[in-house]
Amino acid sequence: MKKNNLVVAIIILVASLSLPVNAIAQEKKGPPPNGERKGPPPGKHSPEQTETLKDMKGYTIGDTATDFKLRNVDSAFFSLSDIKDAKGYIIVFTCNECPFAKMYEDRLIALHNEYAPKGYSVIAINTNVTGGNEKESFEAMQKRAAEKKLPYVYLEDKGQKIFPQYGALRTPHVFLLDKDLVVQYIGTIDDNAKSAQDVKVKYVESAIQALESGEKPDPNFTKAIGCPVKIN
Amino acid sequence: MKNNMLFIVIFLLSSNVGFTHKNDFAKLESQFSSKEIIPIYNFDSLEHLLYTNANKTFIVNFWAMWCGPCIKELPLFQEYEKNNPNAEVLLVSLDFVEDIETKLKPFLKLKGITSKVVLLDDPDANVWINKIDSNWSGAIPFTIIFNNKSRSYHEGAFKDYIDLENKINNTINK
């Protein structure tokens, strides 16, 4: 009898001690309790849209892209036609400071190292380069290229003439061209900007492999969050 | 006699523990005030905040600390909320979870941002960007203005307060 009481008391004591109250950590909310996905309200509604994808000019899949002559960080001018035996071109509109652009630097280096020998070079173009902003200046680009030992060209879109033609809207933004400069894929590099090891789908790589097999990339168009390209 | 002693000891111990819990809760409760906690959502859990059955104006703005144009226009939403107490502003930050305590909260304090802020942490943006608006390219800032009857989407920053006000009025008064 006495032993039972003791056991019960200890159980109560232990139970009260183990009530977790770890509410200082940020709460992570799950899906709403009723589980329903609330879609748009029924009935008519025509959302107004301003300056969205629809109104933006630029290339769509199948368009032939323009070549260009832009200054590289080694101070020489560069055109796509400079690449010998190219089978395709991985054009990436990017910038120095955008966190999303920075997160992809290593992955772009890996992509170039693997695919340039196979005929697909990465061509990075800085869309935000201006004389004024120190962090996006040509000198800053050169510094970043040296720091990261970039194996690919990093070009200055001086006067911001090229990215509007392509229709780059954010950084980074990839346009994969085939050897005839036809746009075959537009979008993001993979499905997880923040964590390379959690990537499940490598869009650009899959697109290149599709082209190699004589097929069309699928998906050929993806979206991502990125920094807006600044029109100066 | 032994039994009684044991009971008294255990009773004292458990009431001590209970007392500690009460203290912790009191401390935590003050930290739970809506201005201190920034909830983290994935898209599925955020989505219900993008719709309403109420005849009330909602403004949901997607932004991040690293986005210059986003930061520049934040005060406009604050101002609108101040001038229109029935309207609700929700600032959905796309910043990094690990920066909430060290960077995001100090930033909001510094800028005097008192609107409701939540953080969207969902890596597969290609999927949820289209669920929000198929015309959205994914660049921020991006704003949704809505009530129970009307809805509009705006990619890019508002030029100034008048621009924001006009776009809200155009949407709500349709």
Side-chain angles (χ1 to χ4, degrees):
Chain A
M1 261 303 260
K2 286 184 193 165
K3 232 188 188 164
N4 268 351
N5 280 348
L6 182 59
V7 168
V8 168
I10 288 174
I11 288 171
I12 292 172
L13 187 59
V14 169
S16 59
L17 278 171
S18 54
L19 277 173
V21 185
N22 189 18
I24 296 176
Q26 291 295 319
E27 43 168 284
K28 191 149 190 156
K29 293 210 169 120
N34 66 3
E36 267 180 10
R37 186 196 147 186
K38 285 209 183 105
K44 276 199 302 192
H45 70 285
S46 44
E48 236 180 74
Q49 291 159 84
T50 55
E51 289 165 338
T52 59
L53 208 52
K54 247 197 325 195
D55 309 322
M56 292 301 223
K57 298 172 180 56
Y59 298 135
T60 52
I61 302 297
D63 285 347
T64 303
T66 180
D67 197 352
F68 38 74
K69 196 167 175 177
L70 300 177
R71 190 165 58 141
N72 185 20
V73 285
D74 69 2
S75 295
F77 280 85
F78 176 90
S79 297
L80 296 177
S81 53
D82 293 341
I83 303 178
K84 301 282 168 259
D85 303 321
K87 296 177 83 181
Y89 309 88
I90 308 167
I91 301 188
V92 186
F93 292 96
T94 184
C95 67
N96 262 11
E97 288 309 303
C98 173
F100 277 74
K102 289 205 278 205
M103 285 187 289
Y104 274 113
E105 270 166 1
D106 290 338
R107 283 176 259 187
L108 286 174
I109 292 171
L111 204 59
H112 181 85
N113 286 339
E114 173 156 7
Y115 286 98
K118 297 179 183 165
Y120 298 85
S121 300
V122 168
I123 298 117
I125 303 179
N126 186 315
T127 57
N128 296 347
V129 62
T130 63
N133 182 358
E134 246 180 49
K135 294 196 179 136
E136 296 294 346
S137 65
F138 185 70
E139 290 68 35
M141 285 172 57
Q142 289 177 309
K143 197 162 165 225
R144 175 64 53 80
E147 270 166 10
K148 299 288 299 192
K149 298 193 177 52
L150 296 183
Y152 48 79
V153 297
Y154 188 16
L155 312 175
E156 173 194 31
D157 190 1
K158 196 175 175 101
Q160 301 187 313
K161 295 249 172 357
I162 299 304
F163 83 76
Q165 289 185 65
Y166 276 71
L169 296 163
R170 57 178 187 265
T171 56
H173 202 164
V174 175
F175 290 74
L176 176 68
L177 315 180
D178 66 18
K179 60 176 167 50
D180 301 316
L181 301 193
V182 174
V183 181
Q184 297 288 355
Y185 170 85
I186 300 173
T188 186
I189 291 147
D190 56 41
D191 68 348
N192 198 323
K194 294 178 185 175
S195 172
Q197 60 217 39
D198 292 320
V199 166
K200 294 194 209 85
V201 186
K202 295 182 177 177
Y203 297 117
V204 173
E205 202 164 341
S206 303
I208 293 172
Q209 284 161 0
L211 293 182
E212 285 283 87
S213 318
E215 283 160 15
K216 295 287 179 191
D218 179 25
N220 60 14
F221 186 87
T222 56
K223 295 181 178 178
I225 294 296
C227 308
V229 290
K230 299 182 186 64
I231 309 279
N232 296 313
Chain B
M1 196 39 189
K2 244 195 193 163
N3 236 4
N4 281 346
M5 276 299 288
L6 196 58
F7 259 110
I8 287 169
V9 166
I10 288 170
F11 177 76
L12 283 174
L13 280 174
S14 30
S15 56
N16 251 349
V17 170
F19 198 70
T20 316
H21 272 284
K22 258 211 194 115
N23 271 346
D24 284 347
F25 249 97
K27 230 197 309 182
L28 290 167
E29 212 132 60
S30 65
Q31 287 177 349
F32 255 98
S33 77
S34 59
K35 301 215 190 320
E36 293 288 340
I37 296 282
I38 295 181
I40 304 167
Y41 291 94
N42 59 19
F43 180 73
D44 285 342
S45 57
L46 175 82
E47 198 173 11
H48 72 286
L49 294 175
L50 308 181
Y51 297 92
T52 183
N53 291 322
N55 185 17
K56 190 177 169 181
T57 304
F58 286 80
I59 299 143
V60 176
N61 175 258
F62 293 81
W63 70 286
M65 284 187 294
W66 37 261
C67 161
C70 301
I71 300 176
K72 197 162 168 222
E73 67 165 9
L74 284 182
L76 300 181
F77 303 114
Q78 287 267 107
E79 177 87 21
Y80 188 84
E81 208 174 19
K82 205 171 65 173
N83 297 338
N84 298 273
N86 282 330
E88 258 199 51
V89 166
L90 180 67
L91 303 175
V92 181
S93 163
L94 291 158
D95 289 295
F96 305 109
V97 171
E98 53 268 26
D99 289 342
I100 290 179
E101 296 301 326
T102 50
K103 295 196 183 140
L104 184 56
K105 282 185 180 173
F107 171 85
L108 294 168
K109 208 167 181 175
L110 185 71
K111 297 285 180 181
I113 302 294
T114 52
S115 303
K116 192 161 145 205
V117 177
V118 302
L119 191 126
L120 175 58
D121 180 33
D122 194 326
D124 198 359
N126 183 46
V127 168
W128 54 258
I129 288 171
N130 282 328
K131 284 185 181 170
I132 291 177
D133 176 17
S134 59
N135 282 312
W136 181 20
S137 72
I140 52 176
F142 181 83
T143 307
I144 315 173
I145 299 169
F146 63 97
N147 61 12
N148 56 344
K149 293 198 185 68
S150 314
R151 200 169 183 80
S152 65
Y153 302 103
H154 307 266
E155 178 166 337
F158 294 95
K159 297 189 198 72
D160 48 34
Y161 186 75
I162 303 290
D163 185 26
L164 174 64
E165 213 179 33
N166 284 342
K167 300 234 163 89
I168 294 173
N169 289 338
N170 288 342
T171 306
I172 300 305
N173 297 334
K174 260 197 296 207

